[in-house]
Amino acid sequence: MPQLNGGGGDDLGANDEMISFKDEGEQEEKISENSSAERDLADVKSSLVNESETNQNSSSDSEAERRPPPRSESFRDKTRESLEEAAKRQDGGLFKSPPYPGYPFIMIPDLTSPYLPNGSLSPTARTSNKVPVVQHPHHVHPLTPLITYSNEHFTPGNPPPHLQADVDPKTGIPRPPHPPDISPYYPLSPGTVGQIPHPLGWLVPQQGQPVYPITTGGFRHPYPTALTVNASMSSLLSSRFPPHMVPPHHSLHTTGIPHPAIVTPNVKQESSHSDIGSLNSSKHQDAKKEEEKKKQPHIKKPLNAFMLYMKEMRAKVVAECTLKESAAINQILGRRWHALSREEQAKYYELARKERQLHMQLYPGWSARDNYAGNYQGKKKKRKREKQAGEGNEHREYFPNPCLSLPPITDLSAPKKCRARFGLDQQNNWCGPCRRKKKCIRYIQGEGSCASPPSSDGSLLESPPSSPSMISPSPSSKESKPQTEQMQPLSLTMKPPPLLSSSQHQHLSMAPPPPLALLDNSGAGKTSGSAHNGSLDPSDVSSSRSTGSASSRPISACHSHSLLPSSAPTQPLSLVTKSID
DNA sequence: ATCCCTTTGAAGGGG
DNA sequence: CCCCTTCAAAGGGAT
């Protein structure tokens, strides 16, 4: 470890990644210290971090490791600290047993450089060289092991015992998180059919062997830590790097398997067409081809935590709600996301972090900007959503789904956050916090329409969790969170549907009360709330995005009516939707 | 055939 | 530094 900075950082350590969780990254560190929640988080993270990392550290000298975004680094360092602590606390140490069930083995690849961008080794070679660590029982691509994410999915063969659980009872085959539904995070271009539809499929070194499998339940596997990642990355680099993007050395290995993130722009068969094309056009086409060549395949952005979560959960939601419309589903997912416990979210954040890291390594030169409309051929135009000022939101009640059955809150009276109410165009009218992407004062306070009735609306079922931050005044409360996971499903499940009314209540009842959250609330306000753990506080997050949340969220409707006690008022209710009444 | 919708998070750019 | 915009997934709906 590069220096753990010692103890100093314990607390902070936890935070680092937390940033993601926190809405603004504000403060809180201090507060959090005490909170057990933090610890939990820290633990989680620690768990996430693989020991290997520590090992790596030793090797850390290599810059490669550091290469990763500063953030990550900081994160690591911090995490390490936290990790260490956690380790002490938990196992006493290393993850003797995998923190997460899914974690089959620990890889301890040799970081030394192979992967480094500079490095030019062939993956295989590297792996071979490297530290053995545990290998996957079955035939896994050598590289695969490197990535600890989860093996489950891939393992065609037999999953490790602990993994068994994930195995689909029916088939007996280890199943991917959400079976059929989930598509690889990075869909491959049509041509690449062979690829595995695994959420993190693109990580898979070779077909069938996804590197980052996601478990159904959520990512239960410990994330390998940078180490593994690096290793995996290196392998990936060598194997998948798009030539153009790849530094010379990397180009060496081309499996030919496109990285999920890489999408060939509509390219599709144009090239072939061109071939076919008449001579006349040949010139033209040639030109085109060349251009295309120039144009690099479209490399997609790495998925963020929420996107990963969506991928994983979408199928469930669809099944539960029978909805198909993505917009509606996404709303639900958004709520569920907020409902997730910190731990759960942490998993996704961690995973996302890794993805970003990997992505960076794979495509060093890539910039999100590259994907902006027009920057690459594939993309057509940007969708600009300029919703006209006020209008947009208000009306927009996009609510197709019965599950969501809540009445769209179309009318003005409906409480909305400034962004929703006024729209982007009229930001002048927004309250300060909204402008800053913070919690809407008006909305919360209840000024005008903003005020909150919404909170009341039961929609909160899920929300409770969402606002955990608010809620939990006491650290202990945090612990309660776990429920959320279980709960989640409930919340959404509305199958009965459309007419849930009575049933809804039931669900509601089932739904986890907002246990955590409500209490604390705002006072602490965002600061405090979020603060405690920093990162995870969903509420903050939501708040940050004043946008939609405030506005009606039909979804919640699914369940119901509000459980929330008025107590919560201060909180942003972002999640709350209008009650059916 | 495209874009929109919807969600959260990340990143880039402008002021 | 703050804020805004765009994109990532996804699939029905709208244009």
Side-chain angles (χ1 to χ4, degrees):
Chain A
M1 344 205 25
Q3 40 291 36
L4 306 177
N5 295 328
D10 291 353
D11 305 349
L12 297 182
N15 302 346
D16 79 343
E17 191 114 7
M18 320 289 267
I19 296 168
S20 334
F21 301 92
K22 300 176 180 179
D23 62 356
E24 303 286 348
E26 299 181 351
Q27 58 311 4
E28 23 218 319
E29 306 90 19
K30 302 172 183 179
I31 298 168
S32 55
E33 293 179 355
N34 303 343
S35 68
S36 61
E38 244 191 2
R39 298 189 171 231
D40 292 351
L41 180 56
D43 291 345
V44 171
K45 290 189 174 184
S46 64
S47 63
L48 295 179
V49 175
N50 187 330
E51 318 177 299
S52 59
E53 193 169 4
T54 50
N55 292 345
Q56 290 179 347
N57 294 345
S58 61
S59 63
S60 65
D61 294 348
S62 63
E63 293 177 353
E65 306 245 353
R66 300 183 181 182
R67 290 299 271 313
R71 247 178 113 191
S72 59
E73 282 189 10
S74 63
F75 173 77
R76 288 183 187 175
D77 293 351
K78 294 177 181 179
T79 30
R80 287 175 191 160
E81 293 176 354
S82 64
L83 176 59
E84 289 180 353
E85 286 184 354
K88 292 175 183 179
R89 282 183 285 146
Q90 295 181 339
D91 290 2
L94 308 188
F95 310 26
K96 293 176 180 179
S97 58
Y100 294 92
Y103 196 178
F105 38 63
I106 295 169
M107 306 299 301
I108 304 175
D110 176 350
L111 297 183
T112 59
S113 64
Y115 308 83
L116 300 187
N118 307 341
S120 50
L121 336 176
S122 70
T124 56
R126 293 177 200 148
T127 56
S128 61
N129 293 343
K130 279 359 206 130
V131 183
V133 186
V134 179
Q135 276 262 325
H136 211 56
H138 9 308
H139 58 309
V140 173
H141 182 288
L143 297 180
T144 306
L146 295 180
I147 295 171
T148 56
Y149 274 111
S150 55
N151 307 331
E152 315 168 344
H153 308 292
F154 318 86
T155 59
N158 338 320
H162 55 286
L163 292 181
Q164 297 283 337
D166 289 347
V167 174
D168 181 343
K170 297 174 183 177
T171 61
I173 298 169
R175 61 180 172 198
H178 288 298
D181 310 304
I182 298 172
S183 53
Y185 286 143
Y186 294 90
L188 300 179
S189 57
T192 62
V193 175
Q195 293 268 346
I196 321 138
H198 184 286
L200 290 179
W202 60 280
L203 295 178
V204 178
Q206 292 208 342
Q207 293 180 347
Q209 301 174 352
V211 175
Y212 290 172
I214 295 171
T215 57
T216 342
F219 302 85
R220 297 229 167 241
H221 312 296
Y223 302 86
T225 77
L227 237 182
T228 56
V229 171
N230 289 340
S232 63
M233 293 179 139
S234 64
S235 64
L236 291 178
L237 289 176
S238 58
S239 65
R240 306 215 178 158
F241 237 91
H244 61 284
M245 304 287 294
V246 180
H249 49 291
H250 292 295
S251 61
L252 296 178
H253 302 277
T254 320
T255 57
I257 297 169
H259 183 287
I262 301 170
V263 174
T264 28
N266 305 331
V267 193
K268 316 186 173 178
Q269 311 181 343
E270 290 180 357
S271 60
S272 63
H273 288 291
S274 62
D275 292 348
I276 296 169
S278 63
L279 297 179
N280 302 345
S281 60
S282 65
K283 293 177 182 178
H284 194 290
Q285 290 183 348
D286 288 346
K288 269 186 169 186
K289 287 182 179 180
E290 289 185 354
E291 285 185 358
E292 286 183 354
K293 289 179 181 178
K294 291 179 181 179
K295 303 209 159 213
Q296 312 163 347
H298 177 213
I299 296 170
K300 294 187 176 183
K301 292 175 68 172
L303 301 185
N304 63 34
F306 179 71
M307 293 310 241
L308 291 172
Y309 172 75
M310 286 214 321
K311 280 211 154 210
E312 183 177 350
M313 301 300 295
R314 177 179 295 281
K316 280 186 182 177
V317 173
V318 171
E320 292 176 356
C321 291
T322 66
L323 295 179
K324 288 190 175 182
E325 296 185 13
S326 294
I329 292 168
N330 290 347
Q331 286 187 336
I332 292 169
L333 289 171
R335 296 201 72 200
R336 285 195 177 190
W337 173 252
H338 286 291
L340 288 179
S341 63
R342 293 191 185 89
E343 290 80 5
E344 285 288 326
Q345 287 191 341
K347 292 175 186 176
Y348 292 95
Y349 280 110
E350 177 67 6
L351 186 58
R353 182 179 70 81
K354 295 195 180 224
E355 275 214 35
R356 286 195 300 275
Q357 250 185 309
L358 180 59
H359 195 275
M360 282 181 61
Q361 293 196 11
L362 290 175
Y363 316 108
W366 181 87
S367 151
R369 181 90 176 166
D370 296 342
N371 291 1
Y372 275 31
N375 287 350
Y376 74 95
Q377 290 183 333
K379 194 114 185 162
K380 295 149 186 161
K381 70 172 45 173
K382 68 181 47 190
R383 35 171 98 182
K384 48 181 78 184
R385 34 183 74 180
E386 352 184 322
K387 312 180 162 189
Q388 305 323 352
E391 294 182 348
N393 318 332
E394 303 206 316
H395 343 327
R396 49 153 113 184
E397 13 186 332
Y398 178 71
F399 213 108
N401 188 338
C403 241
L404 303 185
S405 60
L406 294 188
I409 301 173
T410 51
D411 52 357
L412 302 181
S413 64
K416 291 187 176 184
K417 289 181 181 177
C418 294
R419 183 168 180 163
R421 295 178 66 191
F422 302 105
L424 298 176
D425 297 351
Q426 299 181 355
Q427 293 184 16
N428 298 337
N429 295 330
W430 292 15
C431 63
C434 275
R435 290 179 188 174
R436 299 170 121 207
K437 292 185 175 181
K438 297 200 172 182
K439 293 179 182 176
C440 176
I441 305 170
R442 293 174 184 171
Y443 178 78
I444 293 171
Q445 293 177 345
E447 289 183 2
S449 58
C450 283
S452 61
S455 56
S456 58
D457 57 276
S459 53
L460 299 186
L461 289 181
E462 301 222 348
S463 61
S466 64
S467 48
S469 58
M470 306 170 28
I471 304 169
S472 58
S474 67
S476 64
S477 64
K478 296 170 184 177
E479 314 254 80
S480 62
K481 292 187 232 137
Q483 293 175 345
T484 58
E485 293 180 355
Q486 295 174 345
M487 316 282 306
Q488 296 175 345
L490 298 179
S491 59
L492 297 182
T493 52
M494 313 242 347
K495 282 205 141 177
L499 309 177
L500 301 180
S501 57
S502 64
S503 63
Q504 288 178 342
H505 291 294
Q506 293 177 347
H507 285 288
L508 294 179
S509 61
M510 302 208 29
L516 312 177
L518 304 181
L519 310 182
D520 170 346
N521 321 314
S522 55
K526 30 178 354 157
T527 55
S528 66
S530 55
H532 52 297
N533 12 347
S535 35
L536 297 182
D537 183 3
S539 64
D540 287 77
V541 172
S542 64
S543 64
S544 64
R545 202 165 271 239
S546 54
T547 340
S549 53
S551 55
S552 54
R553 295 191 173 196
I555 301 167
S556 56
C558 285
H559 307 281
S560 87
H561 71 254
S562 66
L563 299 180
L564 293 186
S566 58
S567 64
T570 49
Q571 268 306 320
L573 312 180
S574 50
L575 297 181
V576 177
T577 47
K578 193 181 238 190
S579 65
I580 295 170
D581 354 353

